[in-house]
Every structure is written in structure tokens, then in C-alpha cells.
């Protein structure tokens, strides 16, 4: 292979003469696959071709497995729990292939993998392409791809540390550390760069002379802790998802716990597709509420008030538990009867918006009441025409009050209880 200029400054032309081995000319190569990893000597990132191949393979596998199963059982009907299992079994191996060698220092190359990864996670969860990223990780319990890949690279580094100094791999590691210390690019230095450029603070990778297995294990633990804190902080800072702020995950036994990342209870407890999608999109901020603004003081009060009753700020708590709209009140009465008959619970009145918010959180983050509450939420969001956001779309959404939105309502065929839930006009774009 040829790395860099071959015949003169600024040129990548192949030399006219070949090397000769055993009387046969050795052909010049700009790209070569070695142990499954593709090297390219004519691009800025020598692994660019490998990233492109893994992007295409991941998109193809996603289309044939997760998306294929979803189409087979009915669009949107594939349970997230099953989609998550397919992701780890068939997709994750392609997204992380070669990550112990190809460290993610080139943003263009990494974007090829991260882009398709976000498309897949949004499809599994059932949210649109404009949804936030942090809630994909917090609701599905899947690590960010960059963190997952650098963790595997650190584990490979731990393997190299355990090798004797006479081992060729250890000698290569020593040379990589020497290059880093002299300011040159190297595999060891690339790992340090990735850790430094993460969106959250992590301990720096020390020089090889100061590195030990115990220090490396602690670095991996600190990386995971920092990543979880970043996910929590990102979720808490989003104005559009107030119901996820400070939430506690219910447990089969014991008190609810604050868990940064896990497969959330409602993804499996709510079995009716329409109900689950309505609840998921409410929690993940896919619906538009006029009162959820980061700077409400600069907006006219009338533009923030409830579109149905105009009595208060339009927030999830107000719409679901306080709004006096006829259809909303009727659905709320059915919920009250269901809670009393099935669980002996009384839906207490909410005097303030803060009370409504807390009551709604208590009902949603409860293993027993989440299913009837999801059914209630589905009825309300249907009455509100999904707050200007199409519920059935998985990967794309339409802006409210557009011609496409009106066309959707002409052929939307979901039944009243959401059990026969059809997808209308889904726009799916995958580059394979």
C-alpha cells in the first residue's frame, strides 16, 4: 500500500515501477482489507472505507431484521423489548466492528455510524426524527455509540497491558505511547483524544508508564458514571419533556429508584400499540404543548394558554388532568372509574399545575396504573388531534397544520381503543 505522496508533492499517482518479489511485480494498492478491517491510504482517515462499509451493512441488516419484523407484524407493532434484543443480537456487532483498532477521532467517519444508529433507536422507541437524543438512551437503556466503542477500545488496551514486554503487541503499544509523548498521532493518543472530546468530563488517559490495570478499570467505571450523569443532566435540561424530570423507575419489589438508563417499564407493561406510542411520545417530547417554553416571559400570555379552555398554560399536566374540554373530561371520568374499580384508587383533584404534574407522574411511573393511564392518554391525544404531531410516524414527523397533515387525517384508520393501529404515510429514508 502507498501512504501519502508517491512521486512528488501534492500528488497521489501510483509510481510507474513496481516492487518485485520472486520475479513477480507486487501491485500497488490504495485500499486493502486485513483481518476484516479496511485500510485506505488515499483518504484523510485511513479507516473511512471501513466506516462506510459498516454503515451500509448496518442499514442493510436493520432493513432485513428490525424493519422487516416491524412490517411483518404491522407497522409500529414491534414491541421495543423485541427490537432492543434484535439490536444487540444483529446490529450492534456491525456498529462496533473494529472499534478497538479504528478509534473515532474523525467526526465525518463516526457520523456515518452514529447517524444510522440514531435512526434505528428512534424506530425501536417509536419517536420521530426530530426527537431529542438523550431520551433515546435513557428510555431504551442503550449506551451512546461513541461511549460504547471507546469502552471496547479501553478493554482491548487492558488486554495489551497484560501482555509480556516481549510480545509484539506490547511493543507496538510502547511505540504508540512514544509517538504520543512526542506530539505525533498514534493509536494510544487517539484514545486519549476521544476521551478528551466527549461531551462530559472524564479522567485523562495517563502515559503508559503511569498506567496499570487498576487505573484502567477505574477509568472505565468513571467513564460510565460520567456518561449516566450526562444523560440525566441532558434529560433534566429539556423543557419539552417535563414528565421525565426527577422521575423514579418502579420496581417489582421495593421502592422506586432513580435509574439513568434502562428499558423503561411502560415499554413492556403497555401492550396496546396505540397506547404505548401515545405515552412514549408524550414522555419523550414529540407532542407540541404551547406552554412549554424555555423563555415564556418573552411570549404573549395568549400564545401560551390552553387551546381548548384558555384557563392556564398548556402543559401535559393541565391538558390531561385540569382542562375542561368536553372530550378530555369524558376520558378523565372513564379513567377515574377504571382506577377505582381495578385498583381502589381515587384520582385526586389537582388544584395547581404543579399538583397535576406530580399526580400524572405518579400514575405513569407505576407498574399497575400505567396501562389504564396510557389508554386515557391515547384518547386525549386523539381528541386533541395529536397536538399537531402525527402519532403513527416512526422516523419522520410533519409540521402541524400542513397539507400532508390534513391528508393523513383523511385516511387514518386507528380504532377508538388503539388496538387496530395503522400507520399512514410513513416516510422512511435509509441510505443503503
Amino acid at each position: 500500500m502507498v501512504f501519502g505522496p508517491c512521486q512528488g508533492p501534492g500528488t497521489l499517482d501510483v509510481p510507474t515501477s513496481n516492487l518485485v518479489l520472486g520475479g513477480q511485480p507486487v501491485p500497488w494498492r490504495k485500499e486493502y482489507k486485513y483481518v476484516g478491517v479496511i485500510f485506505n491510504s488515499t483518504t484523510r482517515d485511513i479507516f473511512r472505507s471501513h466506516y462506510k462499509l459498516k454503515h451500509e451493512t448496518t442499514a442493510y441488516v436493520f432493513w432485513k431484521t428490525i424493519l422487516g419484523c416491524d412490517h411483518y407484524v404491522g407497522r409500529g407493532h414491534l414491541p421495543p423489548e423485541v427490537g432492543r434484543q434484535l439490536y444487540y443480537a444483529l446490529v450492534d456487532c456491525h456498529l462496533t466492528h473494529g472499534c478497538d483498532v479504528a478509534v473515532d477521532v474523525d467526526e465525518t467517519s463516526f457520523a456515518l455510524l452514529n447517524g444510522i444508529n440514531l435512526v434505528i433507536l428512534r424506530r425501536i422507541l417509536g419517536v420521530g426524527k426530530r426527537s431529542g437524543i438523550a431520551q433515546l438512551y435513557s428510555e431504551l437503556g442503550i449506551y451512546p455509540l461513541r461511549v460504547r466503542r471507546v469502552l471496547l477500545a479501553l478493554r482491548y488496551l487492558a488486554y495489551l497491558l497484560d501482555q509480556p514486554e516481549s510480545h509484539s503487541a506490547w511493543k507496538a503499544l510502547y511505540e504508540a505511547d512514544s509517538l504520543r509523548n512526542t506530539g505525533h498521532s498514534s493509536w494510544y493518543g487517539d484514545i486519549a483524544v476521544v476521551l478528551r472530546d466527549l461531551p462530559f468530563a472524564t479522567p485523562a488517559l495517563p502515559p503508559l508508564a503511569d498506567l496499570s490495570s487498576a487505573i484502567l478499570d477505574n477509568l472505565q467505571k468513571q467513564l460510565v458514571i460520567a456518561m449516566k450523569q450526562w444523560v440525566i443532566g441532558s434529560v433534566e435540561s429539556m423543557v419539552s419533556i417535563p414528565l421525565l424530570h426527577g422521575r423514579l423507575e418502579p420496581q417489582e419489589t421495593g421502592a422506586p429508584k432513580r435509574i439513568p438508563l434502562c428499558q423503561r417499564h411502560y415499554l413492556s407493561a403497555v401492550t396496546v400499540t396505540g397506547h404505548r406510542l401515545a405515552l412514549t411520545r408524550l414522555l419523550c417530547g414529540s407532542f407540541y404543548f404551547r406552554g412549554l417554553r424555555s423563555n415564556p416571559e418573552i411570549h404573549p400570555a395568549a400564545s401560551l394558554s390552553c387551546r381548548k379552555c384558555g384557563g392556564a398554560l398548556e402543559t401535559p399536566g393541565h391538558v390531561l388532568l385540569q382542562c375542561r374540554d368536553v372530550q378530555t373530561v369524558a376520558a378523565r371520568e372513564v379513567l377515574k372509574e377504571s382506577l377505582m374499580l381495578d385498583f381502589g384508587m381515587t384520582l385526586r383533584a389537582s388544584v395547581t399545575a404543579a399538583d397535576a404534574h406530580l399526580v400524572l407522574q405518579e400514575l405513569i411511573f407505576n407498574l399497575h396504573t400505567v396501562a389504564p393511564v396510557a389508554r386515557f392518554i391515547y384518547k386525549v391525544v386523539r381528541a386533541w388531534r395529536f397536538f399537531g404531531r402525527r402519532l403513527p410516524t416512526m422516523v419522520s414527523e410533519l409540521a402541524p397544520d400542513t397539507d400532508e397533515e390534513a391528508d393523513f387525517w383523511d385516511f387514518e384508520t386507528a380504532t377508538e381503543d388503539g388496538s387496530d393501529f395503522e400507520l399512514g404515510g410513513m416516510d422512511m429514508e435509509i441510505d443503503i
Side-chain angles (χ1 to χ4, degrees), residues 137-153:
Y137 309 132
S138 67
E139 303 308 289
L140 291 173
I142 295 176
Y143 283 11
L145 183 59
R146 191 185 295 272
V147 174
R148 172 95 169 113
R149 287 174 62 89
V150 75
L151 279 173
L152 292 174

Side-chain angles (χ1 to χ4, degrees), residues 24 69 74 90 98 109 136 152 166 182 256 329:
Q24 297 294 327
C69 291
L90 302 171
S109 297
L136 300 178
L152 292 174
S166 59
T182 56
V329 171

